[in-house]
Amino acid sequence: MLDEGMVVGAETQRTYLKTLRSEADRLGHLVENVLAFARLERGRAADGREIIAPADVLDRLVPRLADRARQAGMELTVSHWIFKQTYE
């Protein structure tokens, strides 16, 4: 619609573009989640359990969540004695 000139008005075009970007980001996150799940499934032990330290989980999880929070105009704060890094 945008490339064919069907959307009239600069403000309406900006709204459409903002929606497109937002939905593209959401789709990207969905694909990331599906791929992460596939990697987890591929790497699982026979019984499906794995020992992992909570700090290691936070090291992997917090940067992604902090990025998503920034995209939404928010700030993520993690406060726990086992997690000493700061993500801004």
Side-chain angles (χ1 to χ4, degrees):
M1 292 174 74
L2 287 171
D3 65 342
E4 295 173 0
M6 295 175 67
V7 179
V8 181
E11 187 60 36
T12 305
Q13 289 176 350
R14 278 191 290 277
T15 301
Y16 273 58
L17 284 172
K18 184 177 177 182
T19 301
L20 277 170
R21 285 187 185 124
S22 174
E23 293 304 314
D25 286 343
R26 285 175 36 140
L27 182 58
H29 291 304
L30 176 63
V31 169
E32 286 176 21
N33 290 340
V34 168
L35 291 174
F37 183 73
R39 285 190 295 270
L40 283 173
E41 286 294 312
R42 186 179 58 233
R44 281 194 177 173
D47 67 356
R49 290 189 243 173
E50 178 184 353
I51 297 174
I52 186 166
D56 292 340
V57 173
L58 290 173
D59 281 339
R60 291 172 33 195
L61 183 64
V62 169
R64 289 181 180 179
L65 293 177
D67 185 48
R68 289 183 185 174
R70 267 192 302 279
Q71 290 174 3
M74 298 183 285
E75 179 183 351
L76 176 68
T77 302
V78 177
S79 176
H80 197 280
W81 64 271
I82 64 169
F83 191 73
K84 297 179 180 170
Q85 293 181 338
T86 301
Y87 292 90
E88 296 180 20

